[in-house]
Amino acid sequence: MSERPRFTTVDEYLENVPPDVRPILEEIRSLVKRTVPDAQETISYQMPAFRRKRVFFFYAAFKNHIGIYPPLSGDEALVQELLPYRGEKGNLKFPLNQPMPYELIARVATALAQQAGT
């Protein structure tokens, strides 16, 4: 049984995703940097993440979607807009076979930073 790679940097994580998915993750990475410019990149739970005082935004590639964590609460209008992407535990799943809603993801990053109180 082969072991999964252990990542210590976001660049290492990105090197290990399929080439067709990498530009999507790089765009998400870039938009969070623009949207929450004082956030720092990290790896947490073996996923790329952003933190201020604590981690507030995780993102990862899966076979059929991009996942964003943790669940968003508080901004009811945004929560309603995210319903089509909401997974069973409230995490967000953006299908890879549909256009990626980058502007919406940027709003999620801002809301999650506020939600975390960072």
Side-chain angles (χ1 to χ4, degrees):
M1 184 176 197
S2 66
E3 289 188 30
R4 288 184 167 182
R6 303 278 304 162
F7 307 113
T8 58
T9 69
V10 174
D11 288 330
E12 285 178 0
Y13 180 92
L14 293 175
E15 289 170 7
N16 284 275
V17 299
D20 59 325
V21 176
R22 192 171 304 133
I24 296 168
L25 294 179
E26 288 173 345
E27 181 60 26
I28 292 170
R29 179 187 198 186
S30 177
L31 74 84
V32 175
K33 286 180 178 182
R34 288 189 311 268
T35 305
V36 189
D38 60 333
Q40 299 171 339
E41 285 187 298
T42 190
I43 291 287
S44 185
Y45 297 103
Q46 288 302 296
M47 292 184 284
F50 283 91
R51 69 179 305 127
R52 282 175 162 167
K53 293 178 185 172
R54 62 183 181 162
V55 175
F56 66 90
F57 185 94
F58 298 84
Y59 62 108
F62 295 90
K63 184 177 180 181
N64 297 313
H65 72 277
I66 301 295
I68 294 182
Y69 312 91
L72 179 67
S73 62
D75 183 336
E76 283 309 310
L78 184 54
V79 168
Q80 288 299 311
E81 195 173 342
L82 292 166
L83 283 178
Y85 304 106
R86 189 175 167 94
E88 56 281 346
K89 294 182 180 180
N91 298 322
L92 300 174
K93 295 181 176 184
F94 295 96
L96 290 170
N97 65 354
Q98 296 176 14
M100 199 58 50
Y102 293 114
E103 186 275 330
L104 183 59
I105 293 170
R107 290 172 44 216
V108 168
T110 299
L112 285 173
Q114 292 170 348
Q115 176 179 303
T118 63

